[in-house]
Amino acid sequence: MPSFAYVALKPDGSKAQGTLDASDRAEALRLLDRGRLQPVSLKESANGAAAASGKGAKSSSGKAGDPKGSKAKANGKAGAPAAAADGKAKPEEEPLPTGPVKLKRSQVILFTEELSDLLSAGLQLEPALKIMESREELSNIKTVTRILRQEVRDGASFSGSLRKASPSFGELFCSLAAAGEVSGALGTILRRQAQYLVTIQELQSKVMTAMIYPLFLMGAGVAVAILFVTYLIPELAKLLASTGNDLPGVAKFMLSCSDFIKGYWWLIALLVGGSIYGFKALIKSEAYAETWDRIKLDLPFFGPVLRARFYVQYLETLANLVGNGLPLLKALELSVGATINRHLKRIVNRIIETVGEGGSLSRCMKRAGFFPPLLLDMISVGEQTGKLTVSLERAAERYDKELGKKIEKISALVQPVIIVIMAGLVGTMAYMMITVIFKTIRSV
């Protein structure tokens, strides 16, 4: 019987290794599963393979003397494994989906957290994906995991497999995965990416919660404005015209607006929709994409948040790569892929060029003219003390805290700003209405 050498994980997370005898690989995996061991590697030993071939030769010579018994024995040995193999082969034989599989943000977070936990526990990538594939309750995550596992088994990189499996991961996620593969810290980078995705989800949830009341006010204000312009103002105009007096200037203006909205509402809707579509197409074009990325960094309220998020992501990526033994220049080159903003990519590429010429990281970042002085001082201290990784991690933690404060400030300001805007809109309409009413009463 063949002998298999295995390395597996016990339920408590410790490693176990040894050999076991099994008729084939499938039976060896079943024996490990019965012993509550999670296989990390399983290889057939050379001695076991030679012994198995010797037994097979002896068995074939004995088969001539007793063909029936030999055939029954062969069926008895192979029947159960074959049936089990057929039972396990059915999921593998199912065709993989040809189109991209889309995941919700919550599913991407769950996938990232589960995979990072398995990798941090000591499992290799393919066994970790196999465990995730066996969970039936993960719906689309199971399908994506199947695609990833198949690609990885065929020799593809994990980052490349992510791009093929689902567009929901995004370029940043795939670039960070590539950096984790090169540095050997895939589990750590995935865990930090999961924390980042959770932070973004919490931010969106906070913004949506804070926007419920202002959106209600906005809808009510728009409804009141439409009611004023389309019904109340024309009725007041008719009342004023019946007195034989001229309409006030405010009433004429509002009446003109009412007639225009009634007659050309379809044109207004077309212009608004076309403007939105044209703006999106413009900022996605090669000629203006970088310009829009630069403008976003200078926007009030949101610009500082985008800058702080870049500092945190950039510093964390560098700390992971440099801390896992990569040269600084190689780490900088990989960090470009972790930057989505094209204007920031140009800045990072300039830093890479100057570092490649022999300059220090802090001086090259200072020449770029984008990074704050405090950040440059922290990196300079790390270079002088030989603890660049520690300085990068501390700087990332500091700006992560500042990012949290900026996000809380924006969340607190969104609701009052919208309320003030809607109050001004409704107040203006009410003032116009009251002015028309007073002039109507005076004329009567």
Side-chain angles (χ1 to χ4, degrees), residues 159-194:
S159 56
S161 302
L162 286 172
R163 292 183 174 92
K164 293 181 180 180
S166 175
S168 302
F169 290 108
E171 187 62 30
L172 175 61
F173 192 104
C174 297
S175 299
L176 289 174
E181 287 180 298
V182 174
S183 63
L186 182 59
T188 302
I189 288 182
L190 287 179
R191 189 183 308 111
R192 293 193 176 187
Q193 182 65 9

Side-chain angles (χ1 to χ4, degrees), residues 6 18 20 38 49 99 112 118 122 132 148 167 177 193 209 215 224 306 323-324 332 363 374 380 429 438:
Y6 69 87
L20 55 85
Q38 173 58 46
T112 309
L118 292 172
M132 296 183 64
L148 289 174
Q193 182 65 9
T209 302
L215 285 175
V224 170
L306 295 177
N324 285 280
L332 289 170
R363 290 181 180 178
L374 178 60
S380 177
M429 298 297 295
F438 281 165

Side-chain angles (χ1 to χ4, degrees), residues 363-382:
R363 290 181 180 178
C364 296
M365 292 174 69
K366 184 178 181 180
R367 289 180 184 177
F370 178 79
F371 299 91
L374 178 60
L375 173 58
L376 299 176
D377 292 338
M378 296 179 72
I379 294 177
S380 177
V381 170

Side-chain angles (χ1 to χ4, degrees), residues 19-36:
T19 58
L20 55 85
D21 296 330
S23 59
D24 55 11
R25 183 180 179 85
E27 184 178 354
L29 291 172
R30 286 196 299 274
L31 291 175
L32 290 175
D33 185 60
R34 291 174 186 172
R36 300 180 65 189

Side-chain angles (χ1 to χ4, degrees), residues 97-112:
T98 56
V101 180
K102 294 185 178 180
L103 300 176
K104 299 178 181 178
R105 183 182 294 272
S106 59
Q107 291 177 324
V108 174
I109 294 174
L110 179 59
F111 171 86
T112 309

Side-chain angles (χ1 to χ4, degrees), residues 4 11 18 59 65 69 163 206 218 250 267 310 319 330 334 339 349 367-368 410 424 440-441:
F4 293 86
S59 163
R163 292 183 174 92
K206 288 180 181 178
M218 185 180 297
V250 177
L267 180 60
F310 167 70
K330 181 64 176 178
L334 290 173
T339 306
N349 284 326
R367 289 180 184 177
I410 291 178
T440 305
I441 293 174

